[in-house]
Amino acid sequence: RIHRMSLGWAAGVALTLQRLQADGRTDEQFAREELFDYFASQVLHASPVETQEFLKCTALLPTISGEMADALLGRKNSDDVLEELYRKGAFIDRRSARPASYQYHDLFRAFLLVQLERSKTPEEFQRLQIAAACELERAGHADHAVRLYLQAGDMQSAARLILAIAPSLLMQG
């Protein structure tokens, strides 16, 4: 169960087991909170404020390219930031595609999204969700874009995109 929760990440498994043994507890919620505390203290809060904001905002994207992050954040050096995070082992995986794309570990991404929502007003959070959905749509990730539009409450954009991709989905069966 712990391996499943940490998705096999050695640090997550080790920390969870260590804490559970020390406290004599076995509930899954406690273990999940421990992993999140680790993520916060070791990665997010140890990073400069600009990097913290980068991490939180790009967590809206299930797969991140430098170009997508640049467009979402209005910057020009996201490739460098993503590569630096990857080299530091910041719970990010690099895909071999050209150009490179990155993906946060699922638990870390969930943690970052909670932190993003807590740090923004509801309007700011919704605006970021819609901006990320637009980027996902532009990059050809319609399924993720629709989900994000729906989470942001932008039913009109979700319906428009669903109708646009419906013919190709029907052809696929």
Side-chain angles (χ1 to χ4, degrees):
R1 189 174 73 188
I2 292 169
H3 184 270
R4 186 180 72 249
M5 279 177 36
S6 64
L7 297 174
W9 283 52
V13 172
L15 287 170
T16 302
L17 286 173
Q18 181 182 26
R19 184 55 161 224
L20 290 174
Q21 288 172 348
D23 292 352
R25 295 186 61 184
T26 58
D27 71 51
E28 195 166 312
Q29 181 61 34
F30 178 76
R32 187 175 180 92
E33 289 170 9
E34 283 299 306
L35 290 171
F36 277 11
D37 288 348
Y38 175 75
F39 292 151
S41 64
Q42 296 298 311
V43 178
L44 187 64
H45 296 145
S47 300
V49 174
E50 184 178 321
T51 304
Q52 290 180 32
E53 193 67 15
F54 180 92
L55 286 164
K56 291 186 294 188
C57 291
T58 56
L60 289 165
L61 305 167
T63 300
I64 312 155
S65 70
E67 182 182 344
M68 291 171 71
D70 282 345
L72 178 63
L73 302 172
R75 57 186 301 150
K76 296 193 184 277
N77 67 339
S78 295
D79 277 321
D80 296 337
V81 174
L82 289 163
E83 187 60 28
E84 173 83 10
L85 291 167
Y86 174 73
R87 279 196 308 270
K88 286 183 175 179
F91 301 101
I92 184 172
D93 187 30
R94 181 178 60 205
R95 304 295 183 209
S96 60
R98 293 228 184 251
S101 66
Y102 300 84
Q103 187 174 9
Y104 296 127
H105 181 274
D106 289 341
L107 287 176
F108 187 54
R109 182 171 178 245
F111 168 75
L112 291 171
L113 288 171
V114 168
Q115 296 303 308
L116 176 65
E117 189 169 12
R118 287 180 182 167
S119 69
K120 303 292 181 190
T121 66
E123 295 79 19
E124 289 173 321
F125 184 64
Q126 181 184 36
R127 182 189 58 75
L128 282 167
Q129 285 178 306
I130 292 170
C134 289
E135 261 318 296
L136 289 165
E137 182 178 352
R138 187 192 63 73
H141 301 286
D143 54 338
H144 295 296
V146 167
R147 283 189 203 105
L148 208 45
Y149 281 134
L150 292 172
Q151 289 172 5
D154 187 349
M155 301 307 164
Q156 187 175 14
S157 294
R160 175 192 49 76
L161 184 53
I162 289 168
L163 291 173
I165 63 172
S168 67
L169 294 175
L170 283 172
M171 288 181 65
Q172 292 175 19

